[in-house]
Amino acid sequence: MKRIVCFLLFGFFVSFGIAGNEDVRLRIVTQPDEVHIYHTKRLPAGYGFNVYRQDSPGGEFRLLTGEPVRRVRSSGELQSRLGESFREVMDFFEAESAGELWLFLQSRFLETMLAVSLFPELAEAMGMLYVDDTAPVGNEATYRVGFVDMPGNPVDEPVSRHLHLQPGIPDPPGELRAENDGVSVTLHWNYEGVGREDDDKVIRFFIYRVNPDTGRPEQVSDRIIVRNNAYDEHALHFRSPRVNVTEQYFVTAADITGQQSEPSEILSYEIIDTEIPAVVEDVRVSETSDNHSEITWTKPAEQDIVGYHVYRTDDLSASFRQITREPLAADQLSYVDREARGGRSYFYHVTAVNRLGYESDKGALVMVTLRDVTPPPPPENLTAEFDIESETVNLDWDISEITPDLRSFIILRRIETSRGTGGFNRINFTDLRETSFIDAGEGGEGFQEGARYRYVIYSSDYAENYSDTITTVMEVPLFTPPDPPGGLIAVNDRGIRINLNWNASPSLTAEEYVIHRAVSGGSGLEELKRVPSSAMFYRDEDVETGQEYIYALTAVDRAGNESERSNYDTLFFSSVTPPGSVRNIQAVERDGGIYMRWERVPDNDLAGYKVYRSDIPTGIYEPVHEGL
């Protein structure tokens, strides 16, 4: 990362409200035409927030954000949102690509929070800044920020802040003074630190030198100079382009929106050459592939440098300790600190030693946070029990040790029914360190009777390491009978059989259908057949022509609960082929009429006979009676 001077991080992060487990805070900066609202909550990708404003006490909070201000969800979206600031943010994190920058923003929380304060464009892209250009500047107002997940559902409690929207710029620094060792200049200035509740939003300083040739100010260093809110005195080490001359310097303070103060008073300082080596420049620190710190630097211009010392601390409130017993060789421009351990932050200085034994001042302070690659202990002995009275699931588990870096247990749940298996969804949306959890079901609406629910739990730490998983399955008891199937229809299939068709039961708990049948003149509906719930068709082969059949269905779950009956359907089963021809017809005259008889036609669904007559065998035959 770029060398950051005045980088006493503890004071900075206390002022920003993120040291330890602080609550979410709002930092609000009023400018003449707009108000910048920052929050300190670390949002997952895609999450966002809404901003509301109350312009008078007791008045209605008005939504300012038409859509939630959301954190970007990909490296491509991040690059697009940063625009012209993209390269500067890349340089800040020393990232080689947009993908690497995206990874750093997910894993380097402290540097990310600092960068958010330095680059407003990054704050907007990370879902931490909203600019209110309709603010009633000059009046009092109350802002409220509510956080939402990707679907737009509220998460956590909203935060509010009431204040008088009075615009202003930062106060200028004061009491400039300087000292030098050769071309290495140390410029000091005062800027009074303030408590957390008196946050003045000042985040950095700019140091200017008056060019003696043009009379115009120019920055003496492109390093980012972060204001340490815990101290009144600040300093910057830099190299002067010349010695034995009088230079003019001034300092400005800038807030988190980029507004600079008026210049401080100009300091005129005569730079006199000395024997002390110049401060080592371009000090950098990075993490090696085997999880150690590697410090690198640029060789000073002096020809009499004979070696270097490296200093380290992991606590800025303590002193730095020299970790090189003897000066490193003059041509050795890197050092690997193999005593550094993963999961901690370290701060380093490098000094140069000349042939006379003089040691340079400690130059730029650099910091590295080594990856914690050790996952937390996994949960054990997971149980899930369904509470009939509350209709919730009680989850309990054990863990061998609650480690200091344990951030949360993560609980996943999915439903498994006879009709398919759903996907896993996380059910605890806030950090959880207790070893129990009460699940009220999807959206707090309870659970589906008869369904199996699979739970998976694992633990995560602040470095986003994850333990092995543990799983268990819980089945919800069945109490309510399923709904019956519908749309039952009985169809005569060519006089061979009766085909039954129906619609599935809307209840997912139905395991099978029971087909009931009654025969006209019988004793009522009786169970005919049981078929699985996947079936919606049945062929009744055991039928006789000339009979009337009545059908109905019920659905049964695996607990034996049976539904009410479906709709009834009645069918008279008849043959679809004509009866056989009448044979052996006999006709005799009797009592003034014609008496006829014939051989009975064998057919179960025979309804009767019709008699036709004609005066001649080849004539037209007409019926001689009505009906059959």
Side-chain angles (χ1 to χ4, degrees):
M1 191 176 66
K2 264 193 173 183
R3 288 178 295 168
I4 300 179
V5 297
C6 302
F7 198 15
L8 300 180
L9 289 173
F10 182 77
F12 163 73
F13 286 117
V14 167
S15 73
F16 200 65
I18 57 175
N21 293 317
E22 297 285 350
D23 293 334
V24 177
R25 296 185 58 213
L26 298 183
R27 300 186 88 189
I28 300 177
V29 181
T30 303
Q31 293 186 353
D33 299 320
E34 59 190 19
V35 172
H36 293 235
I37 301 101
Y38 288 76
H39 69 79
T40 62
K41 183 174 181 61
R42 187 182 186 186
L43 294 174
Y47 279 45
F49 66 94
N50 285 310
V51 179
Y52 304 82
R53 190 184 70 221
Q54 182 189 60
D55 294 337
S56 60
E60 180 180 355
F61 276 94
R62 180 165 63 92
L63 176 65
L64 302 180
T65 50
E67 294 291 337
V69 179
R70 295 189 181 277
R71 177 181 172 178
V72 295
R73 293 180 290 182
S74 67
S75 58
E77 186 180 357
L78 174 67
Q79 182 173 355
S80 176
R81 289 277 295 275
L82 288 180
E84 295 180 357
S85 299
F86 175 70
R87 177 50 56 185
E88 191 172 5
V89 176
M90 288 271 288
D91 293 342
F92 178 85
F93 283 94
E94 292 186 347
E96 299 294 333
S97 65
E100 187 176 29
L101 174 61
W102 176 255
L103 178 62
F104 289 163
L105 290 172
Q106 314 310 308
S107 58
R108 298 183 179 181
F109 178 58
L110 297 183
E111 290 115 305
T112 298
M113 294 303 294
L114 175 58
V116 162
S117 298
L118 295 170
F119 305 105
E121 298 86 355
L122 180 62
E124 291 183 317
M126 296 299 289
M128 303 182 73
L129 168 63
Y130 173 75
V131 178
D132 179 11
D133 57 7
T134 66
V137 175
N139 299 312
E140 294 186 356
T142 301
Y143 284 97
R144 176 180 295 167
V145 172
F147 303 99
V148 297
D149 59 16
M150 292 182 65
N153 301 313
V155 294
D156 300 333
E157 293 295 326
V159 290
S160 300
R161 184 175 176 188
H162 178 82
L163 72 166
H164 185 258
L165 302 178
Q166 184 62 41
I169 62 174
D171 294 330
E175 301 182 31
L176 269 66
R177 55 204 180 278
E179 57 193 42
N180 78 290
D181 289 316
V183 296
S184 179
V185 178
T186 302
L187 181 67
H188 301 267
W189 65 93
N190 278 18
Y191 204 84
E192 184 178 356
V194 295
R196 173 178 174 179
E197 298 304 323
D198 300 318
D199 180 17
D200 58 9
K201 321 303 185 303
V202 172
I203 185 65
R204 64 186 296 187
F205 300 101
F206 291 89
I207 313 301
Y208 296 93
R209 165 183 173 265
V210 178
N211 188 309
D213 299 323
T214 65
R216 296 179 179 178
E218 56 187 29
Q219 285 188 239
V220 302
S221 173
D222 62 353
R223 289 175 285 177
I224 298 175
I225 308 167
V226 178
R227 183 258 190 108
N228 185 341
N229 204 29
Y231 296 92
D232 295 341
E233 184 174 329
H234 306 270
L236 173 68
H237 305 284
F238 58 92
R239 293 176 64 84
S240 172
R242 53 188 185 165
V243 294
N244 299 321
V245 296
T246 299
E247 294 278 18
Q248 291 184 318
Y249 302 103
F250 66 88
V251 183
T252 63
D255 63 24
I256 58 179
T257 69
Q259 289 188 115
Q260 292 192 44
S261 70
E262 294 292 333
S264 67
E265 293 184 357
I266 294 179
L267 171 69
S268 296
Y269 178 73
E270 183 180 5
I271 300 176
I272 302 175
D273 195 8
T274 68
E275 292 287 340
I276 299 176
V279 170
V280 177
E281 297 284 353
D282 296 328
V283 180
R284 300 171 183 267
V285 62
S286 60
E287 183 177 5
T288 64
S289 59
D290 55 353
N291 206 212
H292 296 297
S293 300
E294 182 176 20
I295 305 96
T296 61
W297 56 91
T298 300
K299 185 177 181 178
E302 288 93 336
Q303 300 299 314
D304 62 347
I305 299 299
V306 297
Y308 307 93
H309 279 301
V310 179
Y311 295 81
R312 180 192 69 204
T313 185
D314 60 1
D315 182 0
L316 286 173
S317 63
S319 60
F320 280 79
R321 181 172 67 88
Q322 180 181 304
I323 59 176
T324 47
R325 296 184 61 183
E326 299 293 335
L328 304 175
D331 58 354
Q332 181 176 343
L333 302 178
S334 66
Y335 179 78
V336 176
D337 181 7
R338 299 196 176 278
E339 296 180 357
R341 294 180 296 169
R344 303 183 66 176
S345 295
Y346 294 93
F347 307 88
Y348 296 93
H349 283 300
V350 178
T351 61
V353 180
N354 65 12
R355 57 183 173 76
L356 299 177
Y358 290 113
E359 186 174 0
S360 71
D361 287 338
K362 296 180 177 66
L365 180 152
V366 292
M367 183 199 82
V368 66
T369 300
L370 299 182
R371 292 173 296 121
D372 178 0
V373 296
T374 303
E380 304 171 344
N381 306 322
L382 174 62
T383 61
E385 295 183 359
F386 185 76
D387 188 313
I388 297 176
E389 292 185 2
S390 63
E391 296 185 359
T392 58
V393 175
N394 297 324
L395 297 168
D396 291 282
W397 60 92
D398 300 321
I399 190 170
S400 60
E401 179 186 5
I402 300 290
T403 55
D405 64 340
L406 176 67
R407 179 175 183 175
S408 178
F409 295 106
I410 296 175
I411 308 174
L412 307 178
R413 178 193 66 214
R414 79 176 182 191
I415 185 172
E416 300 174 354
T417 69
S418 60
R419 299 189 180 182
T421 298
F424 278 107
N425 293 304
R426 181 171 177 175
I427 62 175
N428 64 312
F429 297 102
T430 58
D431 289 346
L432 172 68
R433 290 171 59 88
E434 292 78 18
T435 56
S436 63
F437 185 80
I438 297 178
D439 182 15
E442 187 69 28
E445 297 297 327
F447 296 85
Q448 182 177 305
E449 289 186 19
R452 290 158 51 93
Y453 290 86
R454 185 175 299 274
Y455 290 92
V456 173
I457 299 183
Y458 56 95
S459 48
S460 66
D461 61 20
Y462 286 96
E464 297 185 355
N465 297 309
Y466 303 101
S467 73
D468 291 336
T469 61
I470 187 172
T471 184
T472 190
V473 176
M474 183 278 306
E475 183 172 321
V476 180
L478 288 167
F479 303 103
T480 305
D483 293 325
L488 174 63
I489 299 176
V491 179
N492 186 340
D493 184 4
R494 297 170 295 166
I496 301 172
R497 62 181 70 87
I498 296 177
N499 293 337
L500 300 177
N501 295 274
W502 61 88
N503 299 327
S505 167
S507 301
L508 298 179
T509 58
E511 288 284 313
E512 61 181 4
Y513 300 124
V514 181
I515 303 172
H516 302 269
R517 185 184 73 177
V519 182
S520 59
S523 58
L525 287 172
E526 296 181 352
E527 181 177 319
L528 173 64
K529 185 69 175 180
R530 289 181 178 244
V531 296
S533 60
S534 58
M536 288 179 284
F537 177 80
Y538 179 73
R539 292 185 178 94
D540 187 1
E541 306 277 0
D542 186 19
V543 292
E544 296 180 3
T545 56
Q547 292 286 354
E548 185 175 66
Y549 293 93
I550 303 172
Y551 295 93
L553 274 71
T554 57
V556 179
D557 61 27
R558 63 174 171 272
N561 299 311
E562 187 169 5
S563 73
E564 296 181 354
R565 289 174 179 162
S566 69
N567 64 294
Y568 292 80
D569 197 19
T570 302
L571 177 68
F572 179 80
F573 184 65
S574 61
S575 173
V576 297
T577 59
S581 299
V582 178
R583 301 175 60 189
N584 299 325
I585 302 175
Q586 300 175 12
V588 296
E589 182 180 359
R590 180 187 296 175
D591 301 331
I594 302 299
Y595 176 75
M596 300 182 63
R597 61 182 299 166
W598 53 86
E599 185 179 316
R600 179 180 178 85
V601 176
D603 196 326
N604 289 338
D605 62 346
L606 185 69
Y609 301 91
K610 283 189 175 182
V611 181
Y612 295 82
R613 180 184 64 200
S614 175
D615 292 338
I616 60 176
T618 59
I620 297 175
Y621 285 82
E622 301 288 346
V624 298
H625 61 89
E626 295 181 359
L628 296 180

